[in-house]
Amino acid sequence: MDWYPLYNSLRIAAISCFLVFFTGIFAAYYVARLPRWIKGVLDVVLTLPMVLPPTVVGYFILLLFGVKRPLGMFLSQFGIKFVMTWYGGILAASVVAFPLMYRTARGAFENFDDTLAYAGQTLGLSNTYIFWRIRMPYCRQGILAGAVLAFARALGEYGATSMLIGYTPGRTATISTTVYQLWRTNDEGGAFFWVMVNLAISAVVLLTVNMLERRQKGGRAHASRG
């Protein structure tokens, strides 16, 4: 049994989740503080991959990082090639998963009680301290839920991934691309096996999200009673 698709999918999803976790939090924090019209424009730009068909997202990535495109040719001089490489899947999955992390984190930051930050400032606390020791703990459940959703989205990504890295057994194969290739070659048993693997992982992810949401609601109810 070739377990490379599972290994590669988990590797791509984990690294993508790590990247969008920090970039999503950074973007959400600063965009939420901008004037309304600027925030509206940036919201459209940053969440566009969430509403576009994944193959269209993959097409735009190829326009930027294709081997015959200026940026792709420039990066290739340093040995960086995103087309038909497993780490190209990280780029594709990150672009698709980023809006989920960004929107969830932005919602968590917008629900933050700013009086807590103002109180910290009156005590002489730095903005960095307030962010990491007050704001982040307060918003942690929503941010963790966004990270889990981003991981799930990256794990199940197919359209942009197939456009950018294709399907090469033992090199770029993921669970999603393997399911398609096995179905295309009439190997329904193999395709069904990988579908069930994906379903099992997705079920664990959804249970985790539901658990985080219940903990968040429970924490807010406890705070309101206090």
Side-chain angles (χ1 to χ4, degrees):
M1 185 68 186
D2 181 15
W3 291 100
Y4 182 83
L6 176 61
Y7 163 71
N8 196 36
S9 294
L10 291 174
R11 172 172 60 173
I12 290 174
I15 298 175
S16 301
C17 182
F18 176 81
L19 294 175
V20 302
F21 179 80
F22 291 101
T23 56
I25 288 175
F26 176 83
Y29 176 70
Y30 285 102
V31 168
R33 299 158 64 92
L34 292 174
R36 181 175 299 180
W37 71 272
I38 299 178
K39 181 166 65 174
V41 173
L42 290 177
D43 266 345
V44 172
V45 174
L46 295 176
T47 59
L48 199 58
M50 187 167 62
V51 296
L52 286 175
T55 51
V56 174
V57 176
Y59 173 76
F60 281 121
I61 296 175
L62 282 174
L63 287 181
L64 291 174
F65 296 99
V67 292
K68 296 184 178 180
R69 302 295 175 178
L71 184 56
M73 294 174 63
F74 173 76
L75 292 175
S76 65
Q77 296 177 2
F78 303 95
I80 302 174
K81 180 183 176 184
F82 290 107
V83 179
M84 298 304 296
T85 59
W86 74 267
Y87 51 86
I90 297 173
L91 175 62
S94 296
V95 172
V96 174
F98 173 84
L100 284 171
M101 185 67 219
Y102 162 74
R103 297 286 293 191
T104 307
R106 202 199 74 184
F109 287 142
E110 288 178 345
N111 289 327
F112 176 73
D113 186 359
D114 286 326
T115 58
L116 298 176
Y118 298 148
Q121 291 173 351
T122 60
L123 295 174
L125 301 178
S126 66
N127 289 331
T128 302
Y129 184 93
I130 292 172
F131 179 81
W132 289 109
R133 302 300 296 272
I134 299 176
R135 192 181 301 269
M136 285 293 288
Y138 184 92
C139 303
R140 67 181 181 276
Q141 301 297 340
I143 291 174
L144 288 175
V148 174
L149 288 173
F151 176 84
R153 183 66 186 86
L155 183 69
E157 164 55 28
Y158 172 77
T161 301
S162 62
M163 290 282 289
L164 190 63
I165 67 175
Y167 171 80
T168 304
R171 290 184 56 192
T172 66
T174 63
I175 293 177
S176 298
T177 56
T178 299
V179 169
Y180 175 75
Q181 290 298 325
L182 292 175
W183 171 80
R184 192 174 64 86
T185 56
N186 295 320
D187 186 356
E188 294 189 5
F192 181 77
F193 171 80
W194 285 113
V195 166
M196 296 306 296
V197 170
N198 209 346
L199 281 174
I201 298 174
S202 299
V204 172
V205 169
L206 290 175
L207 288 172
T208 303
V209 172
N210 290 337
M211 181 184 67
L212 291 172
E213 288 180 347
R214 286 197 298 269
R215 290 181 61 183
Q216 184 177 19
K217 292 178 181 178
R220 288 178 179 174
H222 178 75
S224 63
R225 288 195 299 268

Coordinates of all heavy atoms in Angstrom, one line a residue, residues 62-123:
L62 N -0.5 30.1 -11.6 CA 0.4 29.8 -12.7 C 0.8 31.0 -13.5 O 1.9 31.1 -14.0 CB -0.3 28.8 -13.6 CG -0.4 27.3 -13.2 CD1 -1.2 26.5 -14.1 CD2 1.0 26.8 -13.1
L63 N -0.1 32.0 -13.6 CA 0.3 33.2 -14.3 C 1.4 34.0 -13.6 O 2.2 34.7 -14.2 CB -0.9 34.2 -14.3 CG -2.0 33.8 -15.3 CD1 -3.2 34.8 -15.3 CD2 -1.5 33.7 -16.7
L64 N 1.5 33.8 -12.3 CA 2.6 34.4 -11.5 C 3.8 33.6 -11.4 O 5.0 34.1 -11.5 CB 2.1 34.8 -10.1 CG 1.0 35.9 -10.0 CD1 0.5 36.0 -8.5 CD2 1.5 37.2 -10.4
F65 N 3.7 32.3 -11.1 CA 4.8 31.4 -10.8 C 5.1 30.4 -11.8 O 5.9 29.5 -11.6 CB 4.5 30.7 -9.4 CG 4.4 31.7 -8.3 CD1 3.2 32.1 -7.8 CD2 5.6 32.2 -7.7 CE1 3.1 33.0 -6.7 CE2 5.5 33.1 -6.6 CZ 4.3 33.5 -6.1
G66 N 4.5 30.5 -13.0 CA 4.8 29.5 -14.1 C 6.2 29.6 -14.5 O 6.9 30.7 -14.4
V67 N 6.8 28.5 -15.0 CA 8.2 28.4 -15.3 C 8.6 29.4 -16.4 O 9.7 29.8 -16.6 CB 8.6 27.0 -15.7 CG1 8.5 26.1 -14.5 CG2 7.7 26.5 -16.9
K68 N 7.6 29.9 -17.2 CA 7.9 30.8 -18.3 C 7.4 32.2 -18.0 O 7.4 33.1 -18.8 CB 7.2 30.3 -19.6 CG 7.8 29.0 -20.1 CD 7.2 28.6 -21.4 CE 7.8 27.3 -22.0 NZ 7.2 26.9 -23.3
R69 N 7.0 32.4 -16.7 CA 6.6 33.8 -16.3 C 7.8 34.5 -15.6 O 8.7 33.8 -15.1 CB 5.4 33.7 -15.3 CG 4.2 32.9 -15.9 CD 3.6 33.7 -17.0 NE 2.5 33.0 -17.7 CZ 1.8 33.5 -18.7 NH1 2.1 34.7 -19.2 NH2 0.8 32.7 -19.2
P70 N 7.8 35.8 -15.7 CA 9.0 36.5 -15.1 C 9.3 36.1 -13.7 O 10.5 35.9 -13.3 CB 8.5 38.0 -15.2 CG 7.6 38.0 -16.4 CD 6.9 36.7 -16.3
L71 N 8.3 36.1 -12.8 CA 8.5 35.7 -11.4 C 9.0 34.3 -11.3 O 9.9 34.0 -10.5 CB 7.3 36.0 -10.6 CG 7.4 35.7 -9.1 CD1 8.5 36.6 -8.5 CD2 6.1 36.0 -8.3
G72 N 8.4 33.4 -12.0 CA 8.8 32.0 -12.0 C 10.2 31.8 -12.5 O 11.0 31.0 -11.9
M73 N 10.6 32.5 -13.5 CA 11.9 32.4 -14.1 C 13.0 33.0 -13.1 O 14.1 32.5 -13.0 CB 12.0 33.2 -15.4 CG 11.2 32.5 -16.5 SD 11.1 33.5 -18.1 CE 12.8 33.5 -18.5
F74 N 12.6 34.1 -12.4 CA 13.5 34.7 -11.4 C 13.7 33.7 -10.3 O 14.9 33.5 -9.9 CB 12.9 36.0 -10.9 CG 13.6 36.6 -9.8 CD1 14.8 37.3 -10.0 CD2 13.2 36.5 -8.5 CE1 15.6 37.8 -9.0 CE2 13.9 37.1 -7.4 CZ 15.1 37.7 -7.7
L75 N 12.7 33.1 -9.8 CA 12.8 32.2 -8.6 C 13.6 30.9 -9.0 O 14.3 30.4 -8.2 CB 11.4 31.8 -8.1 CG 10.7 32.9 -7.4 CD1 9.3 32.4 -7.0 CD2 11.4 33.4 -6.2
S76 N 13.4 30.5 -10.3 CA 14.1 29.3 -10.7 C 15.6 29.5 -10.7 O 16.4 28.5 -10.6 CB 13.7 28.9 -12.1 OG 14.0 29.9 -13.1
Q77 N 16.1 30.7 -10.8 CA 17.6 31.0 -10.7 C 18.1 30.6 -9.3 O 19.3 30.3 -9.2 CB 17.8 32.4 -11.0 CG 17.5 32.9 -12.4 CD 17.7 34.3 -12.6 OE1 18.2 35.0 -11.8 NE2 17.4 34.8 -13.8
F78 N 17.2 30.6 -8.3 CA 17.6 30.2 -7.0 C 17.2 28.8 -6.6 O 17.2 28.4 -5.4 CB 17.1 31.2 -6.0 CG 17.4 32.6 -6.2 CD1 16.6 33.4 -7.0 CD2 18.6 33.1 -5.8 CE1 16.9 34.8 -7.2 CE2 19.0 34.4 -6.0 CZ 18.1 35.3 -6.7
G79 N 16.8 28.0 -7.6 CA 16.4 26.7 -7.4 C 15.0 26.5 -6.8 O 14.6 25.4 -6.3
I80 N 14.2 27.6 -6.9 CA 12.8 27.5 -6.4 C 11.9 27.4 -7.5 O 11.8 28.2 -8.4 CB 12.5 28.8 -5.6 CG1 13.5 29.0 -4.4 CG2 11.1 28.8 -5.0 CD1 13.3 30.3 -3.7
K81 N 11.1 26.3 -7.5 CA 10.2 26.0 -8.6 C 8.9 25.4 -8.0 O 8.9 24.4 -7.3 CB 10.8 24.9 -9.5 CG 9.9 24.5 -10.7 CD 10.6 23.5 -11.5 CE 9.7 23.0 -12.7 NZ 10.3 21.9 -13.4
F82 N 7.8 26.1 -8.2 CA 6.5 25.7 -7.6 C 5.7 24.8 -8.5 O 4.8 24.2 -8.1 CB 5.7 27.0 -7.3 CG 6.3 27.8 -6.1 CD1 6.9 29.0 -6.4 CD2 6.2 27.3 -4.8 CE1 7.4 29.7 -5.3 CE2 6.7 28.0 -3.8 CZ 7.3 29.2 -4.0
V83 N 6.0 24.8 -9.8 CA 5.3 23.9 -10.7 C 5.8 22.5 -10.7 O 7.0 22.3 -10.8 CB 5.4 24.5 -12.2 CG1 4.6 23.7 -13.2 CG2 4.8 26.0 -12.2
M84 N 4.9 21.6 -10.5 CA 5.2 20.1 -10.5 C 6.2 19.8 -9.4 O 7.0 18.9 -9.6 CB 5.7 19.7 -11.9 CG 4.8 19.8 -13.0 SD 3.2 19.0 -12.7 CE 3.7 17.3 -12.7
T85 N 6.1 20.4 -8.3 CA 6.9 20.0 -7.1 C 5.9 20.0 -5.9 O 4.9 20.7 -5.9 CB 7.9 21.1 -6.8 OG1 7.3 22.4 -6.5 CG2 8.9 21.2 -7.9
W86 N 6.2 19.1 -4.9 CA 5.3 19.0 -3.8 C 5.1 20.2 -3.0 O 4.0 20.5 -2.5 CB 5.8 17.8 -2.9 CG 7.0 18.2 -2.0 CD1 8.3 18.0 -2.3 CD2 6.9 18.8 -0.7 NE1 9.1 18.5 -1.3 CE2 8.3 19.0 -0.3 CE3 5.9 19.3 0.1 CZ2 8.6 19.6 0.9 CZ3 6.2 19.9 1.3 CH2 7.6 20.0 1.7
Y87 N 6.2 21.1 -2.9 CA 6.0 22.3 -2.1 C 5.3 23.4 -2.9 O 4.9 24.4 -2.3 CB 7.4 22.8 -1.7 CG 8.5 23.0 -2.7 CD1 8.5 24.1 -3.5 CD2 9.4 21.9 -2.9 CE1 9.5 24.2 -4.5 CE2 10.4 22.1 -3.9 CZ 10.5 23.2 -4.6 OH 11.4 23.3 -5.6
G88 N 5.1 23.1 -4.2 CA 4.1 24.0 -4.9 C 2.7 23.8 -4.4 O 1.9 24.7 -4.4
G89 N 2.4 22.6 -3.9 CA 1.1 22.4 -3.2 C 0.9 23.2 -2.0 O -0.2 23.6 -1.7
I90 N 2.0 23.5 -1.3 CA 1.9 24.4 -0.1 C 1.5 25.8 -0.6 O 0.6 26.4 0.1 CB 3.3 24.5 0.6 CG1 3.7 23.2 1.1 CG2 3.3 25.5 1.7 CD1 5.1 23.1 1.7
L91 N 2.0 26.3 -1.7 CA 1.6 27.6 -2.2 C 0.1 27.6 -2.5 O -0.6 28.5 -2.1 CB 2.4 28.0 -3.4 CG 2.0 29.3 -4.1 CD1 2.2 30.5 -3.2 CD2 2.9 29.5 -5.4
A92 N -0.3 26.6 -3.3 CA -1.7 26.5 -3.7 C -2.6 26.4 -2.5 O -3.7 27.1 -2.4 CB -1.9 25.3 -4.7
A93 N -2.3 25.5 -1.6 CA -3.2 25.3 -0.4 C -3.2 26.5 0.5 O -4.3 26.8 1.0 CB -2.7 24.1 0.4
S94 N -2.1 27.2 0.6 CA -2.0 28.4 1.4 C -2.9 29.5 0.9 O -3.6 30.2 1.6 CB -0.6 28.9 1.6 OG 0.2 28.0 2.2
V95 N -2.9 29.7 -0.4 CA -3.7 30.7 -1.0 C -5.2 30.4 -0.8 O -6.0 31.3 -0.5 CB -3.4 30.9 -2.5 CG1 -4.4 31.8 -3.2 CG2 -1.9 31.4 -2.7
V96 N -5.6 29.2 -1.0 CA -7.0 28.8 -0.9 C -7.4 28.8 0.6 O -8.6 29.2 0.9 CB -7.2 27.4 -1.5 CG1 -8.6 26.9 -1.2 CG2 -6.9 27.5 -3.0
A97 N -6.6 28.4 1.5 CA -6.9 28.3 2.9 C -6.8 29.7 3.7 O -7.5 29.8 4.7 CB -6.1 27.3 3.6
F98 N -6.1 30.6 3.2 CA -5.8 31.9 3.9 C -7.1 32.6 4.2 O -7.3 33.1 5.3 CB -4.9 32.8 3.0 CG -4.8 34.2 3.6 CD1 -3.9 34.4 4.6 CD2 -5.6 35.2 3.1 CE1 -3.7 35.7 5.1 CE2 -5.5 36.5 3.6 CZ -4.5 36.7 4.6
P99 N -8.1 32.7 3.3 CA -9.3 33.5 3.6 C -10.1 32.9 4.8 O -10.6 33.7 5.6 CB -10.2 33.4 2.3 CG -9.2 33.2 1.2 CD -8.1 32.3 1.9
L100 N -10.1 31.6 5.0 CA -10.8 31.1 6.2 C -10.1 31.5 7.5 O -10.8 31.9 8.4 CB -10.8 29.5 6.1 CG -11.7 28.9 5.1 CD1 -11.5 27.4 5.0 CD2 -13.2 29.2 5.5
M101 N -8.8 31.5 7.5 CA -8.1 31.9 8.7 C -8.2 33.4 8.9 O -8.5 33.9 10.0 CB -6.6 31.6 8.5 CG -5.7 31.9 9.8 SD -6.2 30.8 11.2 CE -6.1 31.9 12.5
Y102 N -8.2 34.2 7.8 CA -8.3 35.6 7.9 C -9.6 36.0 8.4 O -9.8 36.8 9.4 CB -8.0 36.2 6.6 CG -8.5 37.7 6.4 CD1 -7.8 38.7 7.1 CD2 -9.6 38.0 5.7 CE1 -8.3 40.0 7.0 CE2 -10.0 39.2 5.6 CZ -9.4 40.3 6.2 OH -9.8 41.6 6.1
R103 N -10.7 35.5 7.8 CA -12.1 35.9 8.2 C -12.4 35.5 9.7 O -13.0 36.2 10.4 CB -13.1 35.3 7.2 CG -13.0 35.7 5.8 CD -13.5 37.1 5.6 NE -14.9 37.2 5.8 CZ -15.6 38.3 5.4 NH1 -15.0 39.3 4.9 NH2 -16.9 38.3 5.7
T104 N -12.0 34.3 10.0 CA -12.3 33.8 11.4 C -11.5 34.7 12.4 O -12.1 35.0 13.4 CB -11.9 32.3 11.5 OG1 -12.5 31.6 10.5 CG2 -12.4 31.8 12.9
A105 N -10.2 34.9 12.2 CA -9.5 35.7 13.1 C -10.0 37.2 13.2 O -10.0 37.8 14.2 CB -8.0 35.7 12.7
R106 N -10.4 37.7 12.0 CA -10.9 39.1 12.0 C -12.2 39.2 12.8 O -12.4 40.1 13.6 CB -11.2 39.6 10.6 CG -11.2 41.1 10.5 CD -11.8 41.5 9.2 NE -13.3 41.3 9.3 CZ -14.1 41.6 8.3 NH1 -13.7 41.9 7.2 NH2 -15.4 41.4 8.5
G107 N -13.0 38.2 12.7 CA -14.3 38.1 13.5 C -14.0 38.0 15.0 O -14.6 38.7 15.8
A108 N -13.0 37.3 15.3 CA -12.6 37.1 16.8 C -12.0 38.5 17.3 O -12.4 38.9 18.4 CB -11.5 36.0 16.9
F109 N -11.2 39.1 16.5 CA -10.7 40.4 16.9 C -11.7 41.5 17.0 O -11.7 42.4 17.9 CB -9.6 40.9 16.0 CG -8.3 40.1 16.1 CD1 -7.6 39.8 15.0 CD2 -7.8 39.7 17.3 CE1 -6.4 39.1 15.1 CE2 -6.6 38.9 17.4 CZ -5.9 38.6 16.3
E110 N -12.7 41.5 16.2 CA -13.8 42.5 16.2 C -14.7 42.3 17.4 O -15.3 43.2 17.8 CB -14.6 42.4 14.9 CG -13.8 43.0 13.7 CD -14.6 42.9 12.4 OE1 -15.6 42.2 12.4 OE2 -14.2 43.5 11.4
N111 N -14.8 41.1 17.9 CA -15.6 40.8 19.1 C -14.8 41.0 20.4 O -15.4 40.9 21.5 CB -16.1 39.3 19.1 CG -17.1 39.1 18.0 OD1 -17.9 40.0 17.7 ND2 -17.1 37.9 17.5
F112 N -13.6 41.4 20.3 CA -12.7 41.7 21.5 C -13.2 43.0 22.2 O -13.5 44.0 21.5 CB -11.3 41.8 21.1 CG -10.3 42.2 22.2 CD1 -10.0 41.2 23.1 CD2 -9.8 43.5 22.3 CE1 -9.1 41.6 24.2 CE2 -8.9 43.8 23.3 CZ -8.6 42.9 24.3
D113 N -13.3 42.9 23.5 CA -13.7 44.1 24.3 C -12.5 45.0 24.4 O -11.5 44.8 25.1 CB -14.1 43.6 25.6 CG -14.7 44.8 26.5 OD1 -14.7 45.9 26.0 OD2 -15.1 44.5 27.6
D114 N -12.5 46.1 23.6 CA -11.4 47.1 23.6 C -11.1 47.7 24.9 O -10.0 48.3 25.1 CB -11.6 48.1 22.5 CG -11.4 47.6 21.1 OD1 -10.5 46.7 20.9 OD2 -12.1 48.0 20.2
T115 N -12.1 47.7 25.8 CA -11.8 48.3 27.1 C -10.7 47.6 27.9 O -10.0 48.2 28.7 CB -13.1 48.4 28.0 OG1 -13.6 47.0 28.1 CG2 -14.2 49.2 27.3
L116 N -10.6 46.3 27.6 CA -9.5 45.6 28.2 C -8.1 46.1 27.7 O -7.2 46.2 28.5 CB -9.6 44.1 27.9 CG -10.9 43.4 28.4 CD1 -10.9 41.9 27.9 CD2 -10.9 43.4 29.9
A117 N -8.0 46.4 26.4 CA -6.8 47.0 25.9 C -6.5 48.3 26.5 O -5.4 48.7 26.8 CB -6.8 47.0 24.4
Y118 N -7.6 49.2 26.5 CA -7.4 50.5 27.1 C -7.0 50.5 28.5 O -6.1 51.3 29.0 CB -8.7 51.3 27.0 CG -9.2 51.5 25.5 CD1 -10.5 51.5 25.2 CD2 -8.3 51.6 24.5 CE1 -11.0 51.7 23.9 CE2 -8.7 51.8 23.2 CZ -10.1 51.8 22.9 OH -10.5 52.0 21.6
A119 N -7.5 49.5 29.3 CA -7.1 49.4 30.7 C -5.7 49.0 30.8 O -4.9 49.5 31.7 CB -8.0 48.3 31.4
G120 N -5.2 48.1 29.9 CA -3.8 47.7 29.9 C -2.9 48.9 29.6 O -1.8 49.0 30.1
Q121 N -3.3 49.8 28.6 CA -2.5 50.9 28.3 C -2.4 51.9 29.4 O -1.4 52.5 29.6 CB -3.1 51.6 27.1 CG -3.0 50.8 25.8 CD -3.8 51.4 24.6 OE1 -4.6 52.4 24.8 NE2 -3.6 50.9 23.4
T122 N -3.5 52.1 30.2 CA -3.4 53.0 31.3 C -2.5 52.4 32.4 O -1.9 53.2 33.2 CB -4.8 53.1 32.0 OG1 -5.3 51.9 32.4 CG2 -5.8 53.8 31.0
L123 N -2.2 51.1 32.4 CA -1.3 50.5 33.4 C 0.1 50.6 32.8 O 1.0 50.0 33.5 CB -1.7 49.1 33.7 CG -3.0 48.9 34.4 CD1 -3.4 47.5 34.5 CD2 -3.0 49.6 35.8

